[in-house]
Amino acid sequence: MSVMRSVVLGCGSYLPGQVVTNAELARRIDTSDEWIVQRTGIHERHIAAEGEFTSHLAIKAAQAALDHAGVEAGSIDLIVLATATPDNTFPATSVMVQAGLGITGGAAFDLHAVCSGFVFGLASADNFLRGGAFKRALVIGAETFSRILDWNDRTTCVLFGDGAGAVVLEAQEQPGTTADRGILTSHLRSDGRHKSKLYVDGGPSSTQTVGHLRMEGREVFKHAVAMITDVIEDAFAATGTSASDITWFVPHQANKRIIDASANKLGIPPEKVVITVDRHGNTSAASIPLALTAAVADGRIKRGDLILLEAMGGGFTWGSALLRW
Ligand code: ACO
């Protein structure tokens, strides 16, 4: 029996021009390239220029995805923008992206699930597309975490970077098997009891300030691998697939040690894991579409490949998605 699937038509990304290396950070705070590389796998990150906002990065990534997909901006009737670093408290950054792309129809909204935002956005758009509410969607992850970092806190500021990535999804009829193109399954979870382990200490309703990111790194690490592998097992169970069926594992890029431990626990060999955390740092909701775009651009990800995505972040929130490119 045929079913509707959300098929990826194209992807794109944008990274700000300024690259900050670990050595440069070590000149400003008490850290070292060796410590950062050993604990995180990060060598450098991109930082947005003064006056360059999340919406600006998102518009560039979205335009690149539209170009890659070969579709006009005007054909998009849904924009889901995942971000924890919006330009303003309101309106949603997605409507600025909509206007920036010259789109005047359909709907655009922001989605807030921090580092899991892109997976949550993908799952949300997938539900709208499969339900018939919209035909063609842009799902964007865009962040300027540099704006919410405490640059004197060496335990957090070395970990993050800025950037944006996007995919174009289209509702298409498919035969209804795991050989279908498109999103085959997605699984989302949250548990607010973990709020204090990773949060921003400000906000419009509480402090009337933007605040800074605070994290108990060890606590996050402790939970990350179990949560990630749990929700991936759900994806395997829902589709009757296993780790050996995966062509590419494209995880949220928080930390190379978390990625390695998750892949190892699942039995996914390192040569199937897409890594960009070394060059991008943790770009939160942007990290998965940035990694996808990198692996498509260098020819690794090809049509028909089975792609496994996962993310975990503040809240905690976590989720997985399995899709055929
Ligand atoms: N440079 C040098 N030394 C540092 C730095 C730094 N940048 N940061 C911390 N240290 C020191 C600490 O002060 C501590 O010193 P002490 O022993 O004298 O007290 C020592 O290094 C060890 O600190 P730990 O916090 O125990 O180091 P750990 O091995 O846990 O590594 C890290 C810290 C990298 C943050 C790790 O806990 C981690 O990766 N956690 C996961 C968090 C994460 O990735 N969050 C991203 C957001 S959530 C997400 O996207 C999934």
Side-chain angles (χ1 to χ4, degrees):
M1 195 188 66
S2 72
V3 297
M4 293 305 279
R5 300 271 194 209
S6 306
V7 174
V8 178
L9 298 184
C11 60
S13 66
Y14 176 75
L15 288 158
Q18 190 195 355
V19 176
V20 175
T21 63
N22 293 344
E24 282 173 76
L25 289 180
R27 282 197 286 275
R28 288 189 236 155
I29 51 167
D30 182 16
T31 190
S32 66
D33 177 56
E34 191 192 3
W35 191 96
I36 300 170
V37 171
Q38 204 174 65
R39 307 285 175 126
T40 71
I42 298 167
H43 291 262
E44 58 188 35
R45 71 287 292 143
H46 292 248
I47 301 292
E50 207 182 317
E52 193 173 34
F53 304 154
T54 294
S55 65
H56 303 142
L57 310 188
I59 289 167
K60 287 184 173 149
Q63 190 58 60
L66 291 167
D67 293 345
H68 183 240
V71 302
E72 294 294 326
S75 70
I76 298 294
D77 54 3
L78 175 66
I79 300 174
V80 182
L81 172 65
T83 188
T85 46
D87 289 15
N88 296 86
T89 302
F90 79 79
T93 302
S94 55
V95 302
M96 293 183 246
V97 173
Q98 186 191 29
L101 293 170
I103 302 172
T104 53
F109 64 87
D110 284 10
L111 185 151
H112 197 337
V114 207
C115 299
S116 311
F118 185 75
V119 174
F120 275 57
L122 211 59
S124 304
D126 180 42
N127 274 288
F128 280 120
L129 294 178
R130 281 189 295 111
F134 299 101
K135 295 290 294 171
R136 204 177 262 176
L138 263 170
V139 181
I140 309 167
E143 303 279 18
T144 46
F145 258 54
S146 61
R147 307 271 154 74
I148 55 164
L149 295 174
D150 175 351
W151 286 99
N152 294 313
D153 176 8
R154 68 177 183 173
T155 68
T156 54
C157 77
V158 302
L159 303 174
F160 295 89
D162 300 336
V167 297
V168 179
L169 295 178
E170 183 181 72
Q172 287 184 9
E173 216 165 85
Q174 294 284 312
T177 73
T178 52
D180 288 358
R181 291 190 70 207
I183 298 172
L184 302 176
T185 193
S186 60
H187 300 267
L188 308 180
R189 303 276 181 274
S190 320
D191 186 344
R193 288 174 299 174
H194 299 286
K195 181 203 155 191
S196 63
K197 297 184 178 93
L198 178 52
Y199 68 105
V200 169
D201 62 3
S205 184
S206 54
T207 60
Q208 299 86 58
T209 62
V210 172
H212 292 113
L213 184 147
R214 305 294 174 204
M215 180 175 72
E216 296 172 30
R218 274 198 181 171
E219 283 296 312
V220 176
F221 204 115
K222 214 168 75 186
H223 287 86
V225 177
M227 286 174 161
I228 289 164
T229 50
D230 229 36
V231 84
I232 288 174
E233 296 293 353
D234 288 347
F236 289 152
T239 51
T241 56
S242 66
S244 60
D245 296 312
I246 301 305
T247 328
W248 295 107
F249 179 40
V250 187
H252 166 51
Q253 309 282 320
N255 180 311
K256 178 108 178 4
R257 283 157 65 210
I258 295 177
I259 295 172
D260 289 347
S262 308
N264 185 45
K265 194 169 170 200
L266 290 159
I268 300 174
E271 59 272 18
K272 288 187 170 187
V273 184
V274 176
I275 302 280
T276 50
V277 69
D278 53 337
R279 291 171 287 135
H280 301 170
N282 181 350
T283 56
S284 186
S287 90
I288 291 176
L290 273 162
L292 279 172
T293 304
V296 168
D298 66 21
R300 274 178 290 173
I301 293 181
K302 297 183 202 65
R303 191 180 167 130
D305 286 354
L306 190 62
I307 314 287
L308 176 64
L309 312 179
E310 64 77 7
M312 183 260 182
F316 294 142
T317 56
W318 65 108
S320 67
L322 190 65
L323 61 118
R324 195 169 296 283
W325 202 255

